[in-house]
Amino acid sequence: MTAELATENTALLDAPNVVRELTDRFGDQCQYQETVDGIPNVWINRNQITEVLQYLKHDAQDSFELMFDLSAIDERHRKFRADQPPSDFTVFYHLMSLSSDQDLRIKVPLRDEDSSVASVESIYPVANWYEREAFDMFGIQFEGHPNLRRILTPPLWEGHPLRKEHPARATEMDPFALPDEVQDAQQEALRFVPEEWGMSRSTKHTDFMFLNLGPNHPSVHGVFRIALQLDGEVIVQAVPDIGYHHRGQEKMAERQSWHTYIPYTDRIDYLGGVMNNFPYVMNVEKMAGIEVPPRAQVIRVMVSEMFRIASHLLFYGTFAQDVGQMSPVFYMFADRERLFSIVEAITGGRMHPSWFRIGGVCDDLPDGWYEMVTDFCDYMPARMDHYDTMALQNKILKNRTVGIGAYNTAEGLDWGITGPSLRATGHDWDLRKNRPYSSYDQFDFEIPTAVNGDCYDRCVVRVEEIRQSLRIIRQCADNMPEGPYKADHPLTTPPSKEFTMQHIETLIHHFLNVSWGPVIPPSESATLVEATKGWTSFYSISDGGTMAYRSRVRTPSFPALQQIPFISNGFMVPDLIAIIASIDFVMADVDR
Amino acid sequence: MFFENINWSYVLILPLIGGALGGALVLVWWERRLLGFFQDRLGPNRVGWFGILQSLADAIKLITKDDWVPPFGDRALFILAPIIVAGAMLMAYAVLPLGPGLIIADSNIAILWILAMSSLAVYGVLLAGLASNNKYSLLGGLRSAAQMVTYEVFMGLSLLGVVMLTGSFSLRDVVHAQEDMWFCIPQCVGLVIFLIAGLAESHRLPFDLPEAEHELTAGFHTEYSGMKFALIMAAEYLSLILISALIVVLFFGGWLGPKFLPSEFLSGIVWYGLKVLIVINFFILLRAAIPRPRYDQLMSLGWKILLPLSLLNILITGAILLGTQ
């Protein structure tokens, strides 16, 4: 395989520094690949992965401190692979260097008969769960992984869902049956054995108690389970267990047209609404080469920021509720309701409007939108001040959350924490400022940060973000550009109606894009946005079809849950509840 | 004759039990309504006039529910626990004056009796937690035990100031001693401490740690349903009324009206009812406003601040009494 990889190394001259650095150091075993998102891809041999990542994290000129994503691609049915090295399965590592603001994608080609690669969990702790997910979904073996078990599917699941041969629909499978012996075996496999979770039953002096918190528990925000090893009420070990909300979003992306997948994205972070459409449609536009008109860009920003406020309000309310304060959540739900009435006026939907389209947004803004939006911007700041006195400045709430579940910036990056939870440690990296997309560079707003990175700070940062989002929304309303709300591009889906009615060419496109779905040229691209809970990215691969060949959804909640043991061991059960409340996750965003 | 031998105050027993349980029922509805208004919503308003029959409907539902006992628990204790909780609470009502002369047992150890009964009720909670054989219940029971040990101590101590000023444990004497001045003024420290301890005794938020739904789902009564659950809930509201009535009797002059109003302005029992209602509403508002501290924070508040404070209160009260004698 070494020989296969060491083919031509062209185009290296205009490759970024880090690629040249890698080829210099690791010889011509590296191969460079360009993608439309501008992220350099470097193919390396599988036995070099630990060495390369070790180098990139610690010794490279620009240190790549964050492993943003890790997953795999089943390449066996892919037609357009250009000059990529032969591979049945490709494991990719999306690394980020925040200090020098650059991305790097490392790819490792694997053969079907021997799909194993060394685990990098010791270099990037966040890789632990991502490798388990890749094992679960593709059956890739990560050698040296401490706990390579299934993570999203049940323990007795047959096959690996994201492999191309695994059926995607019930109609492709035999009718479902659950004989008694299968059910018994399934249940037996779920039996809690502390040793399997890395827990000991007792020490010389104490017997531990095991508490199963969730998947149905008032404070776990959905179907999330934590197995606790308790000494009295003190947590000796907490082991999170996920997968109860897994719906195969990535598999569905391979069965839906580029256009009809948009409603599915809404349901990933179901509190984020159109915020999830955002990275997806921007990514498809990048692959299709669509330039989105300014009005559509600003409308997108405005509605997304409304959803940021809605999501943060829900976080704020439940945060106060989980530390025992009963009332704020009701006030905040009422405010959220006002927001949803505006969203409803604009989009026709409430929580899941699915309103962004490839090339723009679904429709123009309705009459009277300006008054509605500015009324809300006038109304909200006073409410926020009121909540400050009620919740944030409350002494009991402070006692419960200050100094609980703290981590610093380096630890946050190690565990893949992004967004507000990372800014709570004092790291002021915000994609909207540092890599402005969709006209964010034209708005005047600040990036709130905090210092200690504890539960309280995570809440403070989000509360301040609500105020900043209000500023952005007002600027959007006051400076809304005129012009079309959809791009004039053949792949815009569906194309603007007025053109279709006059223009046979557009009518044909309309017909094709609606009946088949748009055909996106073969390409690979990833797009990141600052979503409500952190950075969400879509990494899609088109093989020149009407559907994605592979669509990777990277969500901020997944790594955040992995970090829970690290920040909660040694605290008490009520502290764990405060920590869970401060993370701001939804299970659909974790399991996808 | 037979009737001459009856102590007429025993006639009060049945109306009192009925009234107390009925009061608890109305209170459940009232609390939900009031919380609703505090929180920009309506609360239950569908069943009966302004929803007042909601609690009755709930009670009927609970009574007709399947009487389930967890097969993995301790059957006898599981059934006994709610009876202890509710029984002890009702017993405490025996010495509670409802108005001038309206009292079942005018005991000269009334304060001690009430303290004893409310301590007994905690055993019910503890047993409920143990007998359920559920880990959440167990944690709730443990917390309840810790909370009891802490708050019993200065709940009694906080009342000693009142007892010293009165020179008696009888609640009637306490009220009569307040004719010149309500004890909420000379015993303001005692009042605050007793208020906090009373909250803890009746497991009201912010002291609802034994049930703390966000942590322990429902704490010690996780496994309870139907009539047994209703008993536990009733006991909780009974203790809320009891604590409120005690605060009024001990610190706010019981059935005495304010001095600047003529005594025939309102009858004693109306004054009494009004004051109790105000205290109850205060407790409900508190529930709407405050988060829940962690339970070790609660313990340290008890041992490190409230206990020394109540001792100091006794010391100062004693010194002043000695000086004025």
Side-chain angles (χ1 to χ4, degrees), chain B residues 112-135:
Chain B
L112 293 180
W113 173 261
I114 289 180
L115 287 179
M117 283 305 126
S118 70
S119 312
L120 217 70
V122 180
Y123 280 98
V125 174
L126 249 174
L127 290 179
L130 275 176
S132 300
N133 195 14
N134 171 313
K135 288 169 184 172

Side-chain angles (χ1 to χ4, degrees), chain A residues 193-204:
Chain A
V193 181
E195 287 76 17
E196 282 176 10
W197 295 65
M199 297 173 175
S200 58
R201 289 175 195 260
S202 58
T203 63
K204 216 193 271 172

Side-chain angles (χ1 to χ4, degrees), chain A residues 132-311:
Chain A
R132 277 178 70 186
E133 190 194 355
F135 162 72
D136 194 0
M137 293 293 132
F138 292 94
I140 291 165
Q141 299 289 333
F142 290 88
E143 285 155 12
H145 191 287
N147 184 25
L148 198 64
R149 289 185 301 136
R150 288 192 179 270
I151 186 167
L152 293 176
T153 55
L156 295 187
W157 186 268
E158 282 167 27
H160 298 281
L162 282 181
R163 281 176 172 243
K164 288 290 173 189
E165 73 265 18
H166 195 282
R169 295 198 167 109
T171 47
E172 298 166 24
M173 299 183 240
D174 294 335
F176 178 75
L178 186 63
D180 284 347
E181 61 274 16
V182 176
Q183 186 178 358
D184 291 346
Q186 300 266 17
Q187 283 183 352
E188 191 53 40
L190 289 174
R191 184 182 293 280
F192 180 74
V193 181
E195 287 76 17
E196 282 176 10
W197 295 65
M199 297 173 175
S200 58
R201 289 175 195 260
S202 58
T203 63
K204 216 193 271 172
H205 308 291
T206 29
D207 286 341
F208 294 118
M209 176 167 126
F210 300 102
L211 185 67
N212 184 32
L213 200 89
N216 294 309
H217 184 279
S219 296
V220 291
H221 298 231
V223 278
F224 173 43
R225 175 183 178 205
I226 311 181
L228 296 177
Q229 181 186 358
L230 295 178
D231 181 9
E233 270 206 48
V234 178
I235 296 165
V236 181
Q237 238 180 336
V239 182
D241 180 28
I242 62 170
Y244 297 94
H245 210 305
H246 180 59
R247 295 162 301 176
Q249 288 275 7
E250 291 175 15
K251 189 78 176 177
M252 281 191 262
E254 297 170 16
R255 288 290 183 281
Q256 294 290 330
S257 80
W258 293 98
H259 173 63
T260 56
Y261 185 61
I262 294 174
Y264 288 89
T265 63
D266 268 22
R267 279 125 183 112
I268 290 177
D269 163 13
Y270 52 70
L271 300 177
V274 298
M275 189 67 95
N276 301 291
N277 302 162
F278 217 155
Y280 177 71
V281 295
M282 282 206 305
N283 199 30
V284 179
E285 283 154 9
K286 227 183 250 176
M287 292 196 281
I290 301 175
E291 191 75 26
V292 180
R295 185 174 174 87
Q297 291 189 6
V298 177
I299 294 176
R300 281 179 180 182
V301 168
M302 185 172 79
V303 185
S304 298
E305 290 301 323
M306 285 180 191
F307 271 99
R308 189 187 310 281
I309 295 178
S311 169

Side-chain angles (χ1 to χ4, degrees), chain A residues 210-213 217-219 233 321-327 330-331 394 396 399-400 572 574-575 577, chain B residues 35 38-41 135-136 139 143 205 213-215 217 287-297:
Chain A
F210 300 102
L211 185 67
N212 184 32
L213 200 89
H217 184 279
S219 296
E233 270 206 48
Q321 197 186 31
D322 282 349
V323 295
Q325 196 170 23
M326 196 183 178
S327 299
F330 290 103
Y331 301 126
N394 187 302
I396 301 179
N399 282 343
R400 281 292 305 276
M572 294 172 76
D575 296 328
I577 303 300
Chain B
L35 280 178
F38 287 143
Q39 294 164 350
D40 277 358
R41 55 192 178 89
K135 288 169 184 172
Y136 289 112
L139 285 178
R143 285 179 176 195
L205 211 136
E213 63 156 317
H214 299 103
E215 296 147 27
T217 57
R287 179 175 175 197
I290 302 185
R292 179 191 306 117
R294 211 171 52 209
Y295 103 107
D296 59 316
Q297 291 168 348

Side-chain angles (χ1 to χ4, degrees), chain B residues 247-269:
Chain B
I247 287 172
V248 169
V249 168
L250 293 168
F251 296 98
F252 291 96
W255 52 82
L256 304 171
K259 261 192 121 178
F260 53 85
L261 288 174
S263 57
E264 61 274 14
F265 183 74
L266 275 177
S267 80
I269 197 152

Side-chain angles (χ1 to χ4, degrees), chain B residues 71-83:
Chain B
F72 44 81
D74 184 325
R75 190 181 166 84
L77 282 184
F78 187 83
I79 296 172
L80 193 64
I83 300 175

Side-chain angles (χ1 to χ4, degrees), chain A residues 98-150:
Chain A
L98 301 188
S99 43
S100 62
D101 188 14
Q102 57 177 326
D103 288 43
L104 178 64
R105 204 180 285 122
I106 302 284
K107 287 181 172 173
V108 176
L110 297 175
R111 283 301 187 186
D112 193 9
E113 57 277 7
D114 178 21
S115 58
S116 71
V117 64
S119 166
V120 295
E121 183 257 355
S122 54
I123 306 169
Y124 292 101
V126 65
N128 189 317
W129 274 19
Y130 280 126
E131 286 177 351
R132 277 178 70 186
E133 190 194 355
F135 162 72
D136 194 0
M137 293 293 132
F138 292 94
I140 291 165
Q141 299 289 333
F142 290 88
E143 285 155 12
H145 191 287
N147 184 25
L148 198 64
R149 289 185 301 136
R150 288 192 179 270

